[in-house]
C-alpha cells in the first residue's frame, strides 16, 4: 500500500495541476482536453466546401477514435469572407463609403440548443436558388451596435478573388429572422467567447452549404472543428501514447485539408505532466528510502523469526531427502500466495493512502481539502510487483541459509549463535559513517551558497533534493548500528552491577541474556531506534519547515496585511490623465488619519510605513539603500518580529528612536563595515519629490528587519515624521495592519477603500502560505513522511510483539528449566519484563537522542523556500524539536510494553513444566 500510494499520488496531484493548466487563461478558459483544428483562409487562401468536406467527414467519423479518447462534444464552425452590408431598398451598391459595415456569414452546429432567441425566430433553411433571400440570426450585441431589427432586409456584397486570378462579385439578400443571446457563456460548448460572433450573420448549416457556399468559388475564410474529449482515463503512463495519437491525428487532418493547424490541444502540458509525475515519483521514493528501510527491517525481523521457528523443520526435511531447491520452492510458493493477497488488498489501501497524502498540510496534519482522481495504473501495478519481489528476496535469504543445513549441521550451527552479527564482523556501521560524513561536508559547503540558474538566483530546495534527507537518515542508521555494537558491553556492565548491588534474579538474568545474545534482538532494537530517531527528526523537520514558512512569508510582507495606499492630490491639472501639479507650493497631497483604519472590522492596529531611496557617503564611497520611516509607537503592534532579529528587543529599539527624532537603526554588518557606533552622526541623502539631506544619529543596529534583504542595500530605519519635516510635506506611504485571525483580507481592503482611502493594492502572508502548502512536492513529502511514520510505528509495535512471542517460543525449554529449578512465575515475569524494558529504554533513549542531535545538526542545512531566491534564506531556520510528537511516541511504546508484558505473563502462567522439559525441540 505504501509503495503503490506514491505513484498514484504523483499521478493524481499532477493530473489536477494538468486540469488547472488546461482550464486556464492560456486555453481561453476552455474545458480540459479540448482540441481545436483550424484552417485560416487569411493565412493560407480561401477554400470552398468541396475542399473542406473530406476533413469534416473525417472529424465526424474518425477524429475522436484516432485520438483514442471518448468524445464529449464536436462543433463545426464555418465562416465566409467579409461582406459589406447595405440597406436593401437602395438597390445594388458598390460604393464602400455607403456600406453600413462589414460582416460575414457563419454556421455553427448545435447552436440552437445553447442560445435564447430574444426576438423573432430561428432562421428557416434557405432554398438553393440563386438570388433568394436568406434568413439570418444576429447576436444581441450586433443588433444593439448596428441598430438591426427583426424583419429588416439588407443586401450583402463582396468582391472575391477567383482561382484564375480574376475577381467575382457576390450579392446575397438577407432578412433578420431573430436576435440571440448565449444561455451560458461558460458552457463547454463555446469554442470562442459568444461575443466573437458579433460580426457574423448566423445561418443554419444547410443554408450555408446549399445556398451561400455555392455563390462563391473560394468563399470560406475559416473552418474550425472543436472537439471536446473525456480525459479521465489519461494518466502519466499512457501520456506518451496519447501524445503519439495527437501527432498522428494532426497528420491525418493535414492530409485532408493542408495548412489546418491544431490551434488548441493539451500536448505541451501533457509532456510537462508526464515529466513532472515521473520526477515527483522519483523524489518521493527517494524521500521514502528511510521508511522503506524501516519496512525492510520489519520484514527481515518477521522473516527471521518465522524461518528461525521453522529451521528445525527445514533441517528434518533436508535430512529426509528434500533438496535445497525444493525447500526454496516451498518458500517461494508461500511468498507468491501471500503476495497475491497483498497486491489485492494493498492496491485498495494504497488508493486510500494516496488520498490521505493529497490532504496533507503538514506532518500528521491532513486538513487540506483534497479532490484527487486516484486511479490504479499499470505503473502502479509494476511498483507493487517490485515490492513483492523485494519481500521475496528478503524471505529467500534466511530460507536459503536454513536450507543448507541438515539436522546435524543445524545443531552445529546453533552452537555458534553467540557469534557477532555479520554486519558487525564486516564493520558496516563504521563504513556507513563515511558517506554520512561526506554528505555532511557537502551540505556544509553548500550552506548559504547561491548558484545561478537560468539567470536567477536559487537555493537548494529540500522538496527537490532528496539527498538533504537521505544523508541524515543514513547517519541515523549508521549510528543505530554503532550503538548496537557497544550495547553488549553496556549490558555486561549492567549485569556486573546487578550481580553485586541487587538481589533481583530477573534483572540479572535479563542483563546477562542481552549482553550474551546480541544477535537475537538486533532487528527489533534497530526497528525501535530508527522509528524513534526518524520520527523525532521528521517531526522536528516538519515543525521547523512550517514555522519557517510562516516566518518567511511574514518577513516578506512584514505584517498581517500590507496595504499600498495613495493620498489625494490637493491641486489637480485637469487633462487626459490628471496628475498633481508640483509647481504649486506644498502641501500637494492630503492623507486621512491612519487611525481611521481601526474603524474596519477585524483591524486591531495600524501603522504608517514609508520607503524612500537613500544614499550615504561613508568610508570614501557611496552606499545606496533605503530610508524606512516608521511610527515608532505603533510599529511594534503591527510588525512581525523575532528575537533573533536584533541583539535588543523591538521595544528597546523603538525607545532608542524616541530619544532622538533624528535617530536611525542600521544593519549591524553595515555599522561594523563603516566603524559606526551608537551616537555617531552621519548624513543621509533621501529622495522624496526632491533630494533632501538629513543628519541622522545612529541609535541601534539589527541583523534582520521585516521586508529587508541584504542585496537591497542598507536599511536606514528612522522616524517618518522627521523625514516629512525635511521634505516639507507628507509623501506617499504604505499602511501595515494587524488583523484578527481568519479575517477576509479582500473584504478588509474594500472596507478601507470605502472609508475614503485610495487602495492601490494589498498583500498578506496567509494566502501565500496556503498556496505554498499545496505545492505537490511539499504535500507529497509531508504526506509520505506522515503515513510512513504511522506505518512504521504500527509495524514497530507489531514487530516487538512478534519478537516477544517468538522469543518466548524459542526459549520455551529454557524458561521451563528455570521454572523447574525454582523460579516463580513472578520472577519469570520480572525477567522478561526487564528484558523488554531494557530494549525499550535503550531504544527510546538512543532514538530520541539521535533524532534530536541529528535534527540540530542537519536541519539548518535544509533551509529553502518557495521562491528559490536568496530571500528564502531570511529569516534563518530556528530548529524546533517537536517534543509533543516524541511524547506521543513514548506513550505509544509505553502501551506496547504493558501489552507485551501482560501477554507474556499470561503465557508464563499457563506454562507446563512437563511440556517444556522434554526430549526433542520446542513445540
Amino acid at each position: 500500500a505504501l509503495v503503490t500510494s506514491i505513484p498514484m499520488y504523483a499521478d493524481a496531484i499532477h493530473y489536477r495541476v494538468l486540469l488547472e493548466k488546461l482550464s486556464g487563461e492560456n486555453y481561453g478558459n476552455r474545458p480540459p482536453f479540448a482540441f481545436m483544428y483550424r484552417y485560416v483562409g487569411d493565412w493560407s487562401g480561401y477554400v470552398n466546401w468541396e475542399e473542406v468536406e473530406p476533413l469534416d467527414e473525417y472529424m465526424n467519423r474518425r477524429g475522436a477514435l484516432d485520438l483514442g479518447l471518448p468524445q464529449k462534444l464536436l462543433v463545426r464552425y464555418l465562416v465566409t469572407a467579409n461582406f459589406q452590408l447595405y440597406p436593401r431598398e437602395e438597390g445594388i451598391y458598390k460604393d464602400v463609403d455607403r456600406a453600413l459595415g462589414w460582416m460575414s456569414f457563419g454556421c455553427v452546429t448545435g447552436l440552437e440548443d445553447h442560445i435564447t432567441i430574444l426576438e423573432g425566430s430561428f432562421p428557416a433553411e434557405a432554398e438553393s436558388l440563386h438570388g433568394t433571400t436568406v434568413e439570418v440570426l444576429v447576436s444581441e450585441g450586433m443588433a444593439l451596435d448596428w441598430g438591426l431589427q427583426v424583419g429588416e432586409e439588407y443586401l450583402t456584397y463582396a468582391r472575391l478573388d477567383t482561382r484564375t486570378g480574376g475577381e467575382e462579385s457576390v450579392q446575397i439578400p438577407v432578412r433578420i429572422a431573430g436576435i440571440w443571446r448565449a444561455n451560458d457563456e461558460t458552457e463547454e460548448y463555446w469554442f470562442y467567447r459568444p461575443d466573437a460572433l458579433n460580426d457574423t450573420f448566423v445561418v443554419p448549416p444547410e443554408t450555408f452549404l446549399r445556398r451561400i457556399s455555392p455563390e462563391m468559388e473560394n468563399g470560406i475564410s475559416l473552418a474550425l472543428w472543436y472537439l471536446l474529449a473525456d480525459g479521465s482515463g489519461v494518466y502519466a503512463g499512457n501520456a506518451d501514447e496519447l501524445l503519439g495519437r495527437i501527432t498522428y491525428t494532426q497528420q491525418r487532418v493535414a492530409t485532408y485539408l493542408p495548412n489546418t493547424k491544431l490551434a488548441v490541444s493539451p500536448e505541451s502540458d501533457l509532456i510537462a505532466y508526464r515529466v513532472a509525475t515521473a520526477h515527483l515519483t522519483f523524489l518521493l521514493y527517494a524521500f521514502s528510502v528511510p521508511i522503506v528501510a524501516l519496512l525492510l527491517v520489519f520484514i527481515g525481523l518477521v522473516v527471521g523469526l518465522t524461518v528461525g521457528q521453522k529451521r528445525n523443520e527445514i533441517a528434518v526435511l533436508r535430512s529426509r531427502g528434500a533438496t535445497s531447491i525444493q525447500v526454496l520452492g516451498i518458500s517461494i510458493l508461500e511468498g507468491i500466495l501471500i503476495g497475491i493477497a497483498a497486491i489485492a488488498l494493498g492496491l485498495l489501501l494504497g488508493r486510500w493512502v494516496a488520498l490521505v497524502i493529497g490532504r496533507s498540510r503538514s506532518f500528521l496534519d491532513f486538513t487540506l481539502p483534497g479532490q484527487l482522481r486516484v486511479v490504479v495504473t499499470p505503473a502502479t501495478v509494476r511498483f507493487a510487483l517490485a515490492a513483492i519481489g523485494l519481500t521475496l528476496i528478503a524471505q529467500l535469504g534466511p530460507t536459503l541459509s536454513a536450507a543448507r543445513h541438515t539436522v546435524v549441521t543445524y545443531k552445529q550451527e546453533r552452537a555458534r549463535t553467540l557469534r557477532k552479527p555479520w554486519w558487525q564482523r564486516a564493520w558496516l556501521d563504521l563504513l556507513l559513517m563515511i558517506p554520512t560524513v561526506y554528505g555532511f561536508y557537502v551540505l556544509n559547503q553548500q550552506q548559504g551558497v547561491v548558484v545561478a540558474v537560468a539567470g536567477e538566483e536559487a537555493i537548494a530546495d529540500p522538496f527537490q533534493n532528496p539527498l538533504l534527507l537521505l544523508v541524515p537518515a543514513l547517519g541515523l542508521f549508521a549510528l543505530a548500528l554503532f550503538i548496537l555494537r557497544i550495547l553488549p558491553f553496556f549490558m555486561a556492565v549492567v549485569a556486573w552491577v546487578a550481580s553485586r548491588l541487587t538481589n533481583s534474579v530477573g534483572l540479572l538474568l535479563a542483563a546477562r541474556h542481552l549482553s550474551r545474545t546480541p544477535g537475537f534482538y538486533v532487528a527489533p532494537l534497530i526497528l525501535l531506534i530508527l522509528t524513534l530517531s526518524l520520527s523525532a527528526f521528521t517531526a522536528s523537520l516538519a515543525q521547523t519547515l512550517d514555522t519557517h514558512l510562516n516566518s518567511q512569508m511574514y518577513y516578506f510582507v512584514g505584517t498581517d496585511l500590507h496595504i499600498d495606499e495613495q493620498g489625494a492630490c490637493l491641486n489637480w491639472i485637469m487633462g487626459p490623465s490628471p496628475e498633481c501639479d508640483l509647481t504649486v507650493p506644498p502641501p500637494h497631497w492630503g492623507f486621512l488619519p491612519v487611525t481611521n483604519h481601526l474603524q474596519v472590522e477585524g483591524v486591531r492596529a495600524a501603522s504608517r510605513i514609508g520607503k524612500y531611496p537613500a544614499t550615504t557617503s561613508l568610508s570614501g564611497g557611496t552606499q545606496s539603500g533605503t530610508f524606512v520611516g516608521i511610527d515608532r509607537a505603533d510599529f511594534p503592534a503591527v510588525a512581525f518580529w523575532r528575537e533573533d532579529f536584533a541583539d535588543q528587543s523591538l521595544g528597546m529599539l523603538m525607545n532608542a528612536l524616541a530619544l532622538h527624532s533624528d535617530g536611525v537603526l542600521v544593519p549591524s554588518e553595515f555599522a561594523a563595515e563603516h566603524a559606526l557606533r551608537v551616537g555617531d552622526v552621519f548624513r543621509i541623502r533621501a529622495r522624496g519629490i526632491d533630494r533632501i539631506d538629513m543628519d541622522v544619529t545612529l541609535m541601534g543596529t539589527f541583523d534582520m528587519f521585516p521586508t529587508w534583504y541584504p542585496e537591497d542595500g542598507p536599511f536606514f530605519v528612522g522616524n517618518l515624521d522627521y523625514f516629512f519635516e525635511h521634505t516639507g510635506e507628507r509623501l506617499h506611504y504604505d499602511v501595515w495592519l494587524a488583523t484578527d485571525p481568519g479575517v477576509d483580507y479582500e473584504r478588509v481592503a474594500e472596507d478601507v477603500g470605502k472609508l475614503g482611502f485610495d487602495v492601490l493594492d494589498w498583500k498578506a502572508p496567509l494566502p501565500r502560505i496556503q498556496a505554498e502548502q499545496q505545492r505537490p512536492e511539499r504535500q507529497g513529502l509531508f504526506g509520505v513522511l506522515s503515513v510512513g511514520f504511522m506505518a512504521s510505528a504500527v509495524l514497530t509495535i507489531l514487530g516487538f510483539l512478534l519478537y516477544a512471542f517468538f522469543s518466548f517460543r524459542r526459549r520455551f525449554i529454557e524458561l521451563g528449566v528455570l521454572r523447574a529449578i525454582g523460579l516463580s512465575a513472578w520472577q519469570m515475569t520480572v525477567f522478561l519484563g526487564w528484558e523488554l524494558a531494557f530494549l525499550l529504554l535503550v531504544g527510546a533513549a538512543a532514538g530520541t537522542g539521535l533524532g534530536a542531535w541529528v535534527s540540530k545538526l542537519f536541519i539548518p542545512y535544509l533551509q529553502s523556500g518557495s521562491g528559490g531566491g536568496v530571500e528564502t534564506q531570511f529569516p534563518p531556520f530556528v530548529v524546533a524539536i517537536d517534543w509533543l510528537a516524541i511524547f506521543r511516541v513514548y506513550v505509544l511504546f509505553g502501551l506496547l510494553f504493558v501489552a507485551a508484558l501482560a501477554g507474556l505473563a499470561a503465557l508464563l502462567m499457563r506454562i507446563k513444566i512437563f511440556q517444556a522439559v522434554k526430549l526433542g525441540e520446542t513445540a
Side-chain angles (χ1 to χ4, degrees):
L2 289 173
V3 168
T4 58
S5 66
I6 291 176
M8 282 195 280
Y9 164 76
D11 178 82
I13 194 70
H14 280 291
Y15 185 80
R16 186 182 71 185
V17 174
L18 173 67
L19 295 186
E20 291 172 355
K21 288 185 176 180
L22 295 180
S23 303
E25 294 182 359
N26 291 339
Y27 292 88
N29 295 313
R30 297 182 179 88
F33 295 96
F35 297 83
M36 181 184 292
Y37 297 91
R38 185 172 61 191
Y39 178 89
V40 181
D42 290 334
W43 301 342
S44 306
Y46 294 170
V47 292
N48 54 43
W49 171 243
E50 287 71 20
E51 295 174 283
V52 175
E53 187 175 13
L55 177 54
D56 184 65
E57 293 181 0
Y58 169 75
M59 292 302 302
N60 281 281
R61 290 185 297 104
R62 296 287 310 174
L65 292 176
D66 285 347
L67 284 173
L69 297 175
Q71 177 178 307
K72 296 170 61 177
L73 176 69
L74 178 63
V75 180
R76 182 194 64 205
Y77 177 46
L78 301 177
V79 183
T80 66
N82 286 332
F83 280 70
Q84 293 172 289
L85 183 66
Y86 296 92
R88 177 69 178 272
E89 60 271 13
E90 295 187 23
I92 299 176
Y93 290 88
K94 298 182 182 179
D95 185 359
V96 295
D97 293 333
R98 301 186 61 184
L100 298 178
W102 292 88
M103 43 68 62
S104 58
F105 291 96
C107 67
V108 189
T109 54
L111 179 67
E112 59 273 16
D113 298 327
H114 302 277
I115 62 173
T116 297
I117 304 298
L118 302 177
E119 296 182 41
S121 61
F122 198 82
E125 297 179 12
E127 299 179 2
S128 57
L129 299 176
H130 175 72
T132 56
T133 300
V134 175
E135 291 190 352
V136 299
L137 200 63
V138 297
S139 68
E140 181 182 22
M142 187 179 189
L144 292 175
D145 291 342
W146 291 28
L148 304 179
Q149 301 290 332
V150 172
E152 293 179 343
E153 295 189 1
Y154 296 89
L155 185 69
T156 63
Y157 172 79
R159 294 186 63 85
L160 303 175
D161 295 332
T162 63
R163 294 177 181 269
T164 59
E167 288 185 344
E168 62 174 343
S169 296
V170 181
Q171 301 178 71
I172 301 176
V174 297
R175 178 186 302 112
I176 308 299
I179 300 173
W180 65 273
R181 176 196 296 166
N183 292 336
D184 183 1
E185 294 186 2
T186 63
E187 272 189 300
E188 295 182 346
Y189 171 82
W190 294 106
F191 46 96
Y192 291 150
R193 288 176 54 88
D195 55 17
L197 279 66
N198 277 353
D199 58 354
T200 303
F201 282 179
V202 179
V203 298
E206 293 77 7
T207 299
F208 189 94
L209 301 180
R210 294 166 46 194
R211 172 67 178 88
I212 295 177
S213 180
E215 292 279 351
M216 301 166 285
E217 185 175 342
N218 296 295
I220 297 179
S221 66
L222 175 66
L224 179 149
W225 291 264
Y226 175 65
L227 191 153
L228 185 59
D230 181 3
S232 59
V234 176
Y235 51 87
N238 65 5
D240 277 338
E241 182 182 352
L242 177 57
L243 289 168
R245 292 196 298 266
I246 292 175
T247 302
Y248 170 76
T249 305
Q250 171 61 12
Q251 292 172 347
R252 293 290 304 274
V253 166
T255 60
Y256 287 110
L257 183 59
N259 298 314
T260 303
K261 307 297 183 182
L262 182 56
V264 175
S265 85
E267 188 172 8
S268 60
D269 285 306
L270 274 174
I271 297 174
Y273 160 64
R274 179 199 61 189
V275 174
T277 301
H279 179 62
L280 182 59
T281 302
F282 168 77
L283 283 178
L284 293 184
Y285 273 122
F287 288 133
S288 303
V289 167
I291 299 169
V292 173
L294 283 176
L295 297 179
L296 290 178
V297 170
F298 172 78
I299 292 170
L301 170 65
V302 174
V303 170
L305 291 173
T306 54
V307 173
Q309 187 70 20
K310 297 188 296 183
R311 293 196 68 167
N312 185 65
E313 175 186 341
I314 293 173
V316 171
L317 287 175
R318 291 281 287 114
S319 299
R320 293 180 177 178
T323 64
S324 299
I325 300 300
Q326 290 174 320
V327 174
L328 285 177
I330 295 173
S331 179
I332 292 173
L333 182 58
E334 289 178 351
I336 290 175
L337 293 175
I338 294 175
I340 292 173
I343 289 180
L345 297 175
L347 288 176
L348 294 177
L349 184 58
R351 184 178 182 277
W352 176 81
V353 172
L355 290 171
V356 170
I357 295 175
R359 297 177 61 90
S360 176
R361 183 189 299 273
S362 181
F363 187 69
L364 299 179
D365 181 355
F366 305 100
T367 57
L368 279 180
Q371 296 293 333
L372 297 181
R373 181 218 61 170
V374 180
V375 295
V376 177
T377 65
T380 306
V381 177
R382 288 195 295 270
F383 280 113
L385 293 175
I388 297 301
L390 196 61
T391 58
L392 281 176
I393 294 174
Q395 181 176 347
L396 292 181
T399 304
L400 182 61
S401 175
R404 294 187 291 108
H405 295 289
T406 61
V407 172
V408 175
T409 58
Y410 170 57
K411 299 300 182 181
Q412 295 172 344
E413 193 270 342
R414 287 200 63 179
R416 295 192 292 268
T417 55
L418 298 181
R419 289 192 308 168
K420 293 181 179 180
W422 67 269
W423 55 267
Q424 287 189 4
R425 301 195 302 271
W427 298 94
L428 179 64
D429 49 347
L430 298 182
L431 291 176
L432 290 178
M433 293 288 187
I434 298 175
T436 302
V437 172
Y438 177 73
F440 178 77
Y441 169 77
V442 171
L443 293 177
N444 188 57
Q445 293 297 110
Q446 291 179 348
Q447 184 183 26
V449 175
V450 180
V451 294
V453 178
E456 299 179 358
E457 293 180 325
I459 300 295
D461 188 344
F463 305 124
Q464 297 287 341
N465 187 0
L467 178 66
L468 300 176
L469 291 183
L470 292 180
V471 172
L474 184 63
L476 289 174
F477 185 66
L479 291 171
L481 292 180
F482 181 75
I483 289 175
L484 290 177
R485 176 183 291 277
I486 63 176
L487 182 61
F489 302 102
F490 171 76
M491 296 311 302
V493 173
V494 173
W496 182 83
V497 173
S499 66
R500 286 162 175 77
L501 300 180
T502 181
N503 294 324
S504 175
V505 176
L507 174 61
L508 180 60
L509 288 175
R512 285 181 174 174
H513 175 72
L514 293 176
S515 65
R516 293 175 178 177
T517 58
F520 288 132
Y521 57 80
V522 165
L525 196 54
I526 288 180
L527 197 62
L528 181 59
I529 294 175
L530 288 180
T531 298
L532 283 168
S533 59
L534 284 174
S535 63
F537 175 73
T538 54
S540 301
L541 172 63
Q543 183 167 336
T544 302
L545 287 174
D546 275 347
T547 303
H548 174 68
L549 176 61
N550 281 271
S551 298
Q552 177 186 327
M553 296 308 175
Y554 270 92
Y555 188 87
F556 176 78
V557 176
T559 185
D560 293 338
L561 180 60
H562 180 148
I563 295 186
D564 182 7
E565 297 179 359
Q566 178 171 285
C569 187
L570 301 180
N571 44 10
W572 296 96
I573 297 178
M574 302 308 296
S577 57
E579 57 184 23
C580 199
D581 183 5
L582 302 183
T583 63
V584 179
H588 304 305
W589 299 92
F591 296 87
L592 295 173
V594 69
T595 53
N596 288 9
H597 292 81
L598 301 180
Q599 300 175 19
V600 176
E601 182 182 358
V603 175
R604 294 185 286 106
S607 182
R608 301 176 300 169
I609 306 291
K611 293 185 178 182
Y612 312 98
T615 60
T616 186
S617 298
L618 297 170
S619 304
T622 301
Q623 297 79 38
S624 298
T626 305
F627 177 83
V628 181
I630 63 174
D631 292 324
R632 60 164 189 82
D634 301 328
F635 184 76
V638 299
F640 167 71
W641 191 264
R642 229 167 57 178
E643 291 183 356
D644 58 335
F645 284 6
D647 293 335
Q648 296 176 295
S649 67
L650 180 59
M652 294 179 65
L653 293 175
M654 296 299 102
N655 289 336
L657 289 181
L659 296 176
H660 292 273
S661 61
D662 64 344
V664 294
L665 310 173
V666 300
S668 53
E669 289 187 4
F670 178 82
E673 180 182 355
H674 301 287
L676 293 175
R677 297 182 179 181
V678 174
D680 288 350
V681 177
F682 59 99
R683 176 163 293 187
I684 292 176
R685 171 166 289 185
R687 182 173 181 178
I689 296 176
D690 300 313
R691 295 185 182 273
I692 59 171
D693 292 330
M694 299 186 302
D695 289 327
V696 296
T697 303
L698 179 61
M699 300 303 298
T701 62
F702 55 82
D703 297 320
M704 286 168 283
F705 200 88
T707 72
W708 173 68
Y709 299 96
E711 66 271 18
D712 297 334
F715 243 35
F716 308 104
V717 181
N719 292 294
L720 184 61
D721 288 333
Y722 177 74
F723 174 77
F724 287 161
E725 289 175 6
H726 279 72
T727 60
E729 63 173 318
R730 293 185 179 184
L731 301 180
H732 168 81
Y733 55 77
D734 296 338
V735 176
W736 287 10
L737 302 179
T739 61
D740 294 331
V743 299
D744 184 347
Y745 298 113
E746 186 73 38
R747 191 265 307 166
V748 171
E750 291 178 357
D751 290 349
V752 168
K754 293 176 182 178
L755 293 176
F757 294 96
D758 187 5
V759 177
L760 301 178
D761 194 11
W762 64 269
K763 56 186 175 182
L766 284 183
R768 296 168 180 266
I769 292 172
Q770 293 167 357
E772 176 69 11
Q773 287 175 336
Q774 297 187 37
R775 283 181 61 198
E777 297 87 354
R778 183 186 180 92
Q779 273 191 281
L781 171 62
F782 285 131
V784 167
L785 292 181
S786 300
V787 172
F789 164 74
M790 293 187 293
S792 60
V794 171
L795 294 184
T796 300
I797 293 174
L798 183 59
F800 240 86
L801 292 175
L802 290 174
Y803 165 77
F805 174 74
F806 277 97
S807 177
F808 179 86
R809 294 285 302 274
R810 177 176 51 82
R811 296 154 59 190
F812 193 72
I813 293 178
E814 174 190 336
L815 297 175
V817 170
L818 290 175
R819 285 295 309 278
I821 63 176
L823 265 70
S824 66
W826 169 250
Q827 288 176 313
M828 299 289 292
T829 302
V830 171
F831 165 40
L832 295 179
W834 272 113
E835 182 180 328
L836 291 178
F838 274 133
L839 293 178
L840 286 172
L841 289 174
V842 169
T848 305
L850 290 178
W853 180 61
V854 169
S855 297
K856 292 285 188 180
L857 192 64
F858 281 96
I859 288 179
Y861 296 114
L862 307 181
Q863 182 161 2
S864 73
S866 60
V870 288
E871 68 273 6
T872 61
Q873 297 295 288
F874 287 85
F877 267 2
V878 174
V879 178
I881 304 299
D882 194 349
W883 293 111
L884 179 60
I886 296 173
F887 176 75
R888 291 171 182 168
V889 176
Y890 283 166
V891 173
L892 191 64
F893 285 110
L895 297 175
L896 162 66
F897 173 75
V898 173
L901 189 59
L904 290 176
L907 291 174
L908 284 171
M909 299 301 291
R910 297 174 57 188
I911 192 172
K912 294 180 174 59
I913 298 177
F914 73 89
Q915 289 181 343
V917 184
K918 61 183 177 62
L919 296 177
E921 301 297 336
T922 59

